[in-house]
């Protein structure tokens, strides 16, 4: 059980850190990352907070991949809800002021991408399942036969364009984010000596069965 608690702590620290990274990239004010352009556009369209729209989009995407046959875990559901709520709290806190100079904005954007990369290490290494947007990429790859990278690229172009049409902040920082995120993740994972391919992710069914066996033994 101590190991289980440790994994859950790692998961939620990772999700909170991920939200910090997203807020840093947003407040860099040089263009949101592709999915955040989409969230911001829908947020403006429906007059809700961007964190709340992140939750709504995550839940809808999660439903799509679940209906499509992809397996989800505790981490998938936590990702759907928790990150968006943390984003609202962090933005409302005023701890992350918006940058006004493009150079300082670029530095903050890059810093935010490394924070997201480290958060991804924490979140993925907990082994509780991929996030809904990552699961959507896998779902599309499986259905179309295209590579995961191709599906991710097409998804990010599509959500950026739709978000921009609805008023999301599309800028040169969006391109910077799309180009550098893979590089930042590679550096971070190498520094942590972490290979995500070796992580076995639990589904909701796996977690339920394991906890059931544990409480049966306790009795």
């Amino acid at each position: 059980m101590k190991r289980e608690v440790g994994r859950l702590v790692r998961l939620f620290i990772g999700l909170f850190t991920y939200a910090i990274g997203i807020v840093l990239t947003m407040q860099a004010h040089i263009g949101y990352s592709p999915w955040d352009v989409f969230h911001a556009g829908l947020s403006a369209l429906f007059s809700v907070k961007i964190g709340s729209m992140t939750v709504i989009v995550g839940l809808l995407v999660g439903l799509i991949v679940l209906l499509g046959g992809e397996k989800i875990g505790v981490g998938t559901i936590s990702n759907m809800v928790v990150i968006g709520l943390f984003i609202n709290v962090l933005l409302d806190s005023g701890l992350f002021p918006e940058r006004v100079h493009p150079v300082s904005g670029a530095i903050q954007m890059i810093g935010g991408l490394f924070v997201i990369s480290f958060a991804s290490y924490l979140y993925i290494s907990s082994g509780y399942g991929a996030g809904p947007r990552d699961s959507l990429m896998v779902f599309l790859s499986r259905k179309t036969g295209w590579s995961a990278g191709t599906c991710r690229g097409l998804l990010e172009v599509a959500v950026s364009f739709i978000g921009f049409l609805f008023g999301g902040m599309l800028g040169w920082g969006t391109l910077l984010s799309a180009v550098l995120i893979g590089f930042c993740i590679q550096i971070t994972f190498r520094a942590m000596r972490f290979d995500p391919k070796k992580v076995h992710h639990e589904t909701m069914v796996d977690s339920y069965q394991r906890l059931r066996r544990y409480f049966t033994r306790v009795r």
Side-chain angles (χ1 to χ4, degrees):
M1 183 56 71
K2 287 183 179 180
R3 182 174 178 272
E4 184 72 18
V5 172
R7 289 175 64 202
L8 286 170
V9 169
R10 178 182 288 259
L11 169 65
F12 283 96
I13 289 176
L15 295 177
F16 180 68
T17 307
Y18 203 105
I20 292 175
I22 290 176
V23 171
L24 285 172
T25 61
M26 289 171 58
Q27 296 298 82
H29 199 58
I30 55 174
Y32 292 172
S33 64
W35 273 102
D36 290 326
V37 175
F38 183 63
H39 299 147
L42 293 180
S43 175
L45 180 65
F46 293 105
S47 300
V48 298
K49 291 183 176 181
I50 187 169
S52 303
M53 185 52 66
T54 301
V55 173
I56 294 169
V57 170
L59 290 171
L60 291 175
V61 171
L63 179 60
I64 290 171
V65 298
L66 182 62
L67 292 175
E70 295 297 322
K71 295 179 180 179
I72 64 173
V74 173
T76 311
I77 296 176
S78 300
N79 183 297
M80 293 177 192
V81 178
V82 174
I83 290 179
L85 297 180
F86 281 150
I87 289 172
N88 280 343
V89 171
L90 292 169
L91 287 174
D92 290 342
S93 72
L95 295 174
F96 302 91
E98 192 175 85
R99 297 295 176 181
V100 295
H101 195 281
V103 174
S104 62
I107 293 172
Q108 180 163 306
M109 170 69 79
I110 295 170
L113 293 177
F114 274 108
V115 172
I116 287 172
S117 299
F118 181 68
S120 298
Y121 154 69
L122 292 174
Y123 159 62
I124 294 171
S125 64
S126 72
Y128 278 117
R133 294 159 188 81
D134 291 331
S135 296
L136 178 60
M137 174 188 68
V138 173
F139 167 71
L140 291 175
S141 178
R142 183 165 58 84
K143 289 297 184 181
T144 62
W146 299 341
S147 70
T150 298
C151 291
R152 175 169 180 166
L154 290 174
L155 266 175
E156 297 205 346
V157 169
V159 296
S160 296
F161 180 69
I162 294 170
F164 174 69
L165 291 179
F166 290 138
M169 187 178 179
L170 183 69
W172 63 273
T174 308
L175 178 60
L176 184 68
S177 172
V179 170
L180 290 184
I181 184 60
F183 178 70
C184 294
I185 287 175
Q186 183 179 4
I187 290 176
T188 303
F189 284 11
R190 184 174 298 173
M192 303 306 297
R193 299 180 181 178
F194 174 62
D195 184 356
K197 296 189 295 295
K198 294 182 179 179
V199 178
H200 171 70
H201 287 286
E202 283 187 0
T203 65
M204 292 292 292
V205 174
D206 293 333
S207 298
Y208 168 75
Q209 290 177 342
R210 186 166 51 77
L211 288 174
R212 185 179 179 182
R213 287 194 298 269
Y214 172 79
F215 285 113
T216 299
R217 289 198 304 270
V218 170
R219 288 177 187 174

